[in-house]
Amino acid sequence: MTNPQYRIRNNDKFNHLVHRHENEIPDLPIKIIAETDDFLVVNKPSGLPVHPCGNYRFNSVKGLLENEYGRDVNELRTLYRLDRQTTGVLMFAKNYETDFKHLQYLGFPICNDTIYNNLVWGPLKGKGGDYGGKSIEQLRNDVVKQHDKKSWICESDPDYAQRLKEIGENDLYEHDQLDLLNLKFDELPSYDPICWNCATYQKRPFPDDHWFMPLHCWKYSGDGWSFESSLPEWVIQHSDLIQNNIQENKKEIQKITA
């Protein structure tokens, strides 16, 4: 740890280490539903966010598309998000024109949402790609102004500074052991060497009896396009269970009326 009395000199180099707890995700595939000149459509599995956020960097839909499926995610523009546990149709725009046309359309209207259900998107709130004649620059500035920090409540972690101090004093990690700036995806360790409780990239088997939020985005349709996903396993199992119950009830009724 640097001496607090040290004075900064010319040409001194500073390294800033950003530590994130990369959460593990279920070991489920991302299936490609369709791909056109305008869209890439995937069937999102449960348990991972759409794009890197918070403690998810590699373990996200866009992160896996880039590192496991070899896609150039710089060309993919997120049209809408599905919650981490939600499954189903997830669409990405592959060019600026498609992105601008459908930027707000698929999310309209979200009730009680101060960002998306707002006239900042124009009189029609962006429905059908109508932003009230705003240019993309004006729309961007207006949305950013609406989406300011006052919309969020952040709480600081009182133990964070103390933990960082202990890491520095105890020399738990030598920065020269790992080139963090040039670290490649396939070179990631199983666990972050600075934090034994942090999995940098890990998938876990998806147990058959696992409970998760039964919410599935089945189909999206628009002007000249329609994309549909296969039904998730929990829907099929539930349907079979219902049919079995119906058959059992019919048998019981036949016994009573016989």
Side-chain angles (χ1 to χ4, degrees):
M1 191 171 185
T2 304
N3 188 331
Q5 304 301 322
Y6 178 79
R7 293 187 177 183
I8 300 175
R9 301 176 181 178
N10 290 334
N11 299 321
D12 277 354
K13 181 180 179 181
F14 294 87
N15 289 327
H16 176 60
L17 179 64
V18 178
H19 178 62
R20 291 182 178 179
H21 288 277
E22 184 80 23
N23 295 331
E24 64 177 5
I25 57 174
D27 190 6
L28 297 172
I30 299 176
K31 297 180 180 179
I32 306 297
I33 296 176
E35 183 169 7
T36 68
D37 292 338
D38 297 324
F39 297 108
L40 173 67
V41 188
V42 303
N43 190 356
K44 177 188 173 298
S46 175
L48 69 161
V50 172
H51 51 70
C53 60
N55 293 338
Y56 294 87
R57 180 187 174 195
F58 296 105
N59 293 340
S60 63
V61 174
K62 294 193 73 172
L64 294 179
L65 284 176
E66 178 180 20
N67 295 297
E68 288 195 357
Y69 294 82
R71 301 301 304 238
D72 181 8
V73 296
N74 292 322
E75 72 168 9
L76 300 180
R77 305 162 187 261
T78 306
L79 290 176
Y80 60 92
R81 292 176 296 178
L82 298 179
D83 289 339
R84 183 169 59 89
Q85 300 293 4
T86 304
T87 61
V89 177
L90 179 62
M91 299 171 57
F92 295 96
K94 295 176 61 177
N95 51 62
Y96 168 82
E97 293 76 15
T98 304
D99 182 28
F100 187 69
K101 181 178 180 180
H102 299 285
L103 175 65
Q104 167 70 350
Y105 168 71
L106 293 173
F108 173 90
I110 302 177
C111 297
N112 300 322
D113 192 298
T114 59
I115 303 301
Y116 294 102
N117 196 3
N118 193 289
L119 292 177
V120 71
W121 298 92
L124 298 180
K125 300 180 181 179
K127 186 174 183 180
D130 186 345
Y131 303 106
K134 292 184 179 181
S135 65
I136 187 62
E137 291 78 13
Q138 182 182 357
L139 180 62
R140 182 189 299 114
N141 292 334
D142 292 345
V143 172
V144 168
K145 186 181 298 183
Q146 178 68 22
H147 196 280
D148 61 14
K149 63 181 180 181
K150 296 179 182 178
S151 302
W152 308 95
I153 300 176
C154 299
E155 297 181 359
S156 60
D157 183 353
D159 298 327
Y160 181 70
Q162 180 62 28
R163 290 200 301 272
L164 288 183
K165 181 180 179 181
E166 292 176 356
I167 289 174
E169 291 177 347
N170 296 332
D171 293 329
L172 295 178
Y173 176 67
E174 293 293 338
H175 296 273
D176 294 337
Q177 292 179 1
L178 196 61
D179 187 353
L180 297 175
L181 296 179
N182 298 309
L183 194 64
K184 296 181 179 179
F185 178 76
D186 55 1
E187 297 173 348
L188 283 172
S190 298
Y191 286 87
D192 192 326
I194 198 174
C195 177
W196 294 347
N197 296 320
C198 182
T200 58
Y201 176 72
Q202 181 173 335
K203 292 184 177 182
R204 52 184 166 80
F206 199 73
D208 294 334
D209 59 350
H210 179 74
W211 287 87
F212 59 93
M213 182 170 60
L215 189 60
H216 180 74
C217 179
W218 175 55
K219 184 177 182 179
Y220 261 127
S221 299
D223 185 14
W225 53 267
S226 179
F227 302 110
E228 178 180 319
S229 71
S230 58
L231 293 177
E233 187 65 27
W234 59 265
V235 173
I236 299 174
Q237 292 176 351
H238 186 65
S239 299
D240 293 341
L241 180 61
I242 292 176
Q243 292 299 322
N244 290 335
N245 288 338
I246 292 176
Q247 295 300 325
E248 291 297 328
N249 290 336
K250 286 182 178 180
K251 292 179 181 179
E252 291 297 326
I253 293 175
Q254 290 175 355
K255 290 180 181 179
I256 296 174
T257 57

